[in-house]
Each structure stands twice: as C-alpha cells, then as structure tokens.
Amino acid sequence: MKDYVHIENVSKFFGEDQVLKEVSHDFAEGQVHGIIGNNGSGKTVLFKCICGFMHPDKGSVRVNGVTIGKQRDFPERTGIIIETPGFLPHMTGFRNLQILASLNGKIHRNEIIQVLETVGLPPGLKKPVSKYSLGMRQRLGIAQAIMEDPEFLILDEPFNGLDKNGVAHIRRLLLDLKKQGKTILLASHNMKDIEVLCDTVCEMDAGVLREVTV
Ligand SMILES: Nc1ncnc2c1ncn2[C@@H]1O[C@H](COP(=O)(O)OP(=O)(O)OP(=O)(O)O)[C@@H](O)[C@H]1O
Ligand SMILES: [Mg+2]
C-alpha cells in the first residue's frame, strides 16, 4: 500500500517547550487513521504541520509525494477541519460556502446545495452563521471540508458539538468517504468513533507519536 503522508523527524518548539518530539510516521493511502491522546499532547499541532498552517522547526512532511512548505505551501485536494472554522458571521451558510467555492471555481450552486443536504443543514436556511448553534457550525465546517471532493481529509475533532443524530449522521458520511477510498486523518477523544472508523490508531503522548492497538 502506498504511503499518502510521510512524516520524518518532525519537531516543533514553542519557546522552550517542545510539543512535537521527532515524530516519524507514514499514513497509508485509502485508509482512516485515528489519532488519540490527552489535551495538549500535540495532535492539533501535528495536523497543522501536515496541512501547512504551521512549519516544523525540524524534519519534513510529505503529502502525496510533495514536501509541504517547500514544493507547495499546502497539500492539494485536501479538506480540513481544524478548530472552529472561520466563517463570515453575518452571512448564511450557503453564502459562506459559495464564497469559498468561488476561490477555486470547481463547484457551483447545485453542489453546494447538495453538500449542505449531505451534512443535514437546510440549504435555504436564512439565518446568518453568527446565529448557528455549535453543532450547526460544525456541520457547516464538515460541508466546507468535503464540498470539493478532496482525496485527503484532515479532521480534528469533527464530532465536536454534534448531538447523537449528528454523530451518527457524520459517522455514516465518513464511512462512505472511506469506502470511496479517501485518505483520512481523524483526531478524536471518542473511542467509539475511533473503533468504528479507523484502520490504524496512533497515540500522541506529550509530543511522541506511536502506533497502538485498540
Ligand atoms: N500557537 C501556539 N503557541 C504556543 N503554544 C502552542 C500553540 N499551539 C499549541 N501550543 C501548545 O502546544 C501543545 C500541544 O497543543 P495541541 O493543540 O496540539 O494539543 P492537542 O493534542 O490537540 O490537545 P486537545 O486534545 O486539547 O485538542 C500545548 O501545550 C499547547 O499549549
Ligand atoms: Mg487539538
């Protein structure tokens, strides 16, 4: 199986604090890879290094053969949820996605309507995003991550704020994306999600990443 993400000796410091400690790992293509670990152990920082939002102080990250921060600033065809997605608060969800989609020009009105339905948000909803609940905002974040049919997904706590139905809904959606052969990195504190979805699981422990069996 081909490796989709190749992480080599990645270290990251904030001042004196080393939050990633020579992380080396390969994530295979077409699988779902879970990352678990305590609050503050370094999961989000690792994800930011993979998607080019942060640069490692040492080491390198290659995504689909391309070194991030050198050959390209960001990985191609990648959908990302990291922390709270930044939407324009006074606009509707539909309008927010429309503006984001216009940057690439790959998808249009019909695909946006479809993706909103996929995540369980009414496409015609008139409310501005500032009036969305946490779970609605999370669903919009998922819509934004998947709308351009990425081949690689970086999902940091995608179930955050979702109710029982929302979790079941998004779990089915992720299982479907997995079936389509997408490569997915998933950080979650919920072991059930990890068990249901993941082919491999790693634990981050104070900046050290190791594969575990669950
Ligand atoms: N921009 C930053 N500046 C300084 N320190 C940071 C920054 N981002 C993260 N850190 C520190 O890096 C460490 C790892 O944080 P990270 O967000 O990766 O943890 P996490 O494993 O994602 O935790 P959680 O489960 O709470 O999401 C923490 O000690 C955090 O305070
Ligand atoms: Mg985190």
Side-chain angles (χ1 to χ4, degrees):
M1 212 175 306
K2 186 182 142 200
D3 291 323
Y4 198 85
V5 180
H6 175 74
I7 300 171
E8 204 170 303
N9 275 313
V10 164
S11 289
K12 180 75 189 170
F13 296 81
F14 292 110
E16 302 275 277
D17 209 9
Q18 184 170 7
V19 302
L20 294 179
K21 296 174 181 161
E22 294 175 20
V23 172
S24 290
H25 199 80
D26 291 324
F27 294 104
E29 182 169 32
Q31 291 195 329
V32 183
H33 306 282
I35 300 192
I36 56 174
N38 293 341
N39 294 139
S41 58
K43 303 178 299 294
T44 297
V45 171
L46 180 67
F47 278 8
K48 287 183 177 173
C49 289
I50 295 170
C51 64
F53 293 176
M54 257 181 199
H55 298 292
D57 295 304
K58 287 188 203 150
S60 62
V61 173
R62 227 165 51 214
V63 178
N64 202 14
V66 173
T67 304
I68 301 305
K70 287 225 173 83
Q71 289 164 284
R72 290 190 69 89
D73 290 338
F74 309 108
E76 282 185 285
R77 301 208 57 192
T78 301
I80 297 165
I81 301 179
I82 291 186
E83 291 162 356
T84 321
F87 292 112
L88 299 170
H90 56 291
M91 290 185 177
T92 64
F94 179 86
R95 188 69 188 124
N96 266 278
L97 296 192
Q98 210 175 25
I99 290 168
L100 289 169
S102 72
L103 301 176
N104 287 331
K106 272 195 213 159
I107 59 161
H108 301 93
R109 188 181 178 80
N110 288 345
E111 289 97 329
I112 294 169
I113 291 172
Q114 207 177 359
V115 79
L116 284 167
E117 279 167 355
T118 303
V119 299
L121 282 176
L125 196 64
K126 290 282 175 279
K127 254 187 222 183
V129 170
S130 61
K131 300 209 168 117
Y132 276 23
S133 71
L134 178 63
M136 291 167 77
R137 211 164 299 167
Q138 193 68 9
R139 285 172 191 246
L140 190 61
I142 293 164
Q144 162 267 316
I146 64 172
M147 67 182 183
E148 290 182 333
D149 192 27
E151 56 187 40
F152 177 40
L153 284 156
I154 298 173
L155 306 177
D156 195 3
E157 312 276 350
F159 299 101
N160 226 350
L162 296 179
D163 60 19
K164 217 169 69 189
N165 288 335
V167 169
H169 186 112
I170 299 304
R171 230 186 241 154
R172 279 197 303 276
L173 173 64
L174 294 184
L175 280 171
D176 194 44
L177 292 166
K178 171 179 172 162
K179 246 191 260 159
Q180 292 171 32
K182 314 281 186 195
T183 307
I184 302 176
L185 300 187
L186 170 71
S188 177
H189 289 292
N190 184 328
M191 287 315 289
K192 176 90 193 289
D193 296 325
I194 295 283
E195 277 165 32
V196 170
L197 290 162
C198 296
D199 300 295
T200 76
V201 182
C202 285
E203 181 167 14
M204 186 68 91
D205 179 10
V208 177
L209 187 74
R210 62 175 74 85
E211 193 150 346
V212 292
T213 43
V214 288

